């Protein structure tokens, strides 16, 4: 489709000031890998006709904005972040790119979890995945963007048990993982909830081996 070309461009963040990235995660290789995975999944996603999409930990909002643009206005797109400056930045990113996204300030999806039970068709998470001391996790500031604690999984591991309750029967979950996160353990934890895992895309970015993995219910 000729008109589709602009859909795949990275959402603009030209509204960012030089100081915004002191407080908010600047889109980087991991963010772009998620965009590439979503582009690769376009046909699958469009054929699902998702009505509710959620990104946990939206940062600048480029991923949920990209998804909103791919899916069009019939998909209600909501995102969360623990960092108030990220939630505000994401709101501006949506506006600059002419899509409606709805940032919510909360831990993981705590503020919306009850209402969204069984409703989420597409869930995204590019978590803080770097292996760090546990004391650096969940500060709410810029360190919350990368500090993942033990195995880089402390934040991811808190979201995993909630995924089954959030997703609709046909819902899918896209997660960024680093090799050090021991993805086999994530796969096992999700298998216990009835999900199967596939790898959508893998890339080496500097010293990081990153992948986007996808979970859907075993039918
Ligand atoms: C690696 S950054 C990804 C940002 C953006 N999604 C992207 O791909 O560019 C991780 C984001 O998760 C947020 N975050 C960390 N812990 C969180 C938590 N417990 N609940 C919600 N958001 C969290 C951080 O503030 C940060 O914006």
């Amino acid at each position: 489709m000729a008109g589709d070309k602009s859909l795949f461009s990275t959402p603009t963040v030209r509204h960012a000031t030089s100081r915004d990235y002191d407080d908010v995660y600047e889109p980087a290789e991991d963010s772009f890998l998620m965009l590439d995975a979503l582009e690769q999944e376009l046909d699958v996603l469009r054929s699902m006709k998702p009505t509710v999409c959620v990104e946990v930990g939206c940062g600048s909002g480029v991923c949920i904005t990209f998804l909103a643009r791919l899916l069009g206005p019939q998909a209600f797109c909501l995102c969360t972040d623990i960092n108030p400056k990220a939630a505000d930045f994401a709101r501006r990113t949506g506006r600059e790119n002419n899509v409606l996204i709805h940032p919510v300030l909360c831990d993981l999806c705590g503020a919306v979890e009850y209402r969204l039970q069984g409703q989420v068709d597409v869930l995204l998470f590019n978590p803080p995945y770097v292996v760090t001391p546990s004391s650096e996790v969940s500060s709410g500031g810029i360190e919350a963007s990368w500090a993942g604690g033990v195995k880089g999984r402390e934040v991811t591991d808190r979201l995993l048990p909630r995924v089954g309750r959030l997703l609709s029967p046909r819902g899918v979950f896209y997660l960024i993982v680093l090799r050090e996160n021991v993805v086999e353990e994530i796969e096992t934890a999700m298998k216990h909830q009835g999900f199967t895992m596939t790898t959508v895309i893998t890339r080496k970015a500097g010293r990081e081996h990153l992948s986007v993995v996808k979970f859907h219910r075993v039918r």
Side-chain angles (χ1 to χ4, degrees):
M1 272 186 278
D4 267 6
K5 211 171 165 198
S6 64
L7 282 182
F8 301 136
S9 58
T10 304
T12 180
V13 284
R14 64 178 164 229
H15 53 289
T17 66
S18 55
R19 299 192 46 190
D20 277 327
Y21 295 130
D22 291 344
D23 301 306
V24 178
Y25 188 73
E26 183 169 359
E29 290 298 334
D30 48 352
S31 325
F32 303 135
L33 191 64
M34 181 65 91
L35 303 192
D36 290 347
L38 295 174
E39 180 176 338
Q40 201 171 299
E41 289 281 289
L42 181 65
D43 291 344
V44 177
L45 289 168
R46 282 196 175 155
S47 67
M48 277 177 69
K49 299 193 189 334
T51 52
V52 179
C53 304
V54 175
E55 181 182 17
V56 174
C58 59
S60 65
V62 290
C63 299
I64 191 72
T65 296
F66 187 80
L67 183 65
R69 212 166 53 187
L70 288 184
L71 296 177
Q74 70 278 8
F76 177 80
C77 290
L78 187 148
C79 57
T80 73
D81 208 289
I82 200 170
N83 175 349
K85 295 205 168 148
D88 181 58
F89 193 121
R91 183 185 51 75
R92 288 185 279 140
T93 301
R95 195 176 55 201
E96 280 294 321
N97 290 276
N98 301 313
V99 294
L100 205 52
I101 58 170
H102 301 271
V104 177
L105 178 63
C106 65
D107 177 33
L108 299 177
C109 45
V112 289
E113 199 170 349
Y114 181 72
R115 284 172 182 259
L116 290 181
Q117 274 190 37
Q119 308 284 328
V120 179
D121 296 315
V122 183
L123 180 65
L124 310 180
F125 194 24
N126 176 10
Y129 54 67
V130 178
V131 179
T132 64
S134 295
S135 55
E136 291 177 18
V137 177
S138 282
S139 64
I142 187 73
E143 319 75 50
S145 298
W146 62 78
V150 177
K151 296 182 190 172
R153 283 239 310 275
E154 290 189 29
V155 182
T156 301
D157 282 352
R158 287 199 301 115
L159 182 68
L160 297 183
R162 302 161 181 225
V163 173
R165 288 197 299 271
L166 277 171
L167 288 188
S168 67
R170 66 203 174 124
V172 287
F173 172 38
Y174 295 93
L175 173 70
I176 297 259
V177 290
L178 180 71
R179 195 162 61 183
E180 289 78 357
N181 297 156
V182 198
V183 67
E184 302 75 24
E185 292 180 5
I186 299 176
E187 183 175 19
T188 303
M190 293 299 288
K191 204 172 176 183
H192 289 314
Q193 291 184 64
F195 287 92
T196 189
M197 186 185 93
T198 52
T199 300
V200 180
I201 192 167
T202 297
R203 189 171 297 158
K204 190 164 182 293
R207 289 192 332 214
E208 293 186 338
H209 285 262
L210 292 167
S211 301
V212 177
V213 291
K214 172 185 175 181
F215 298 91
H216 64 81
R217 285 195 169 84
V218 182
R219 287 177 229 286

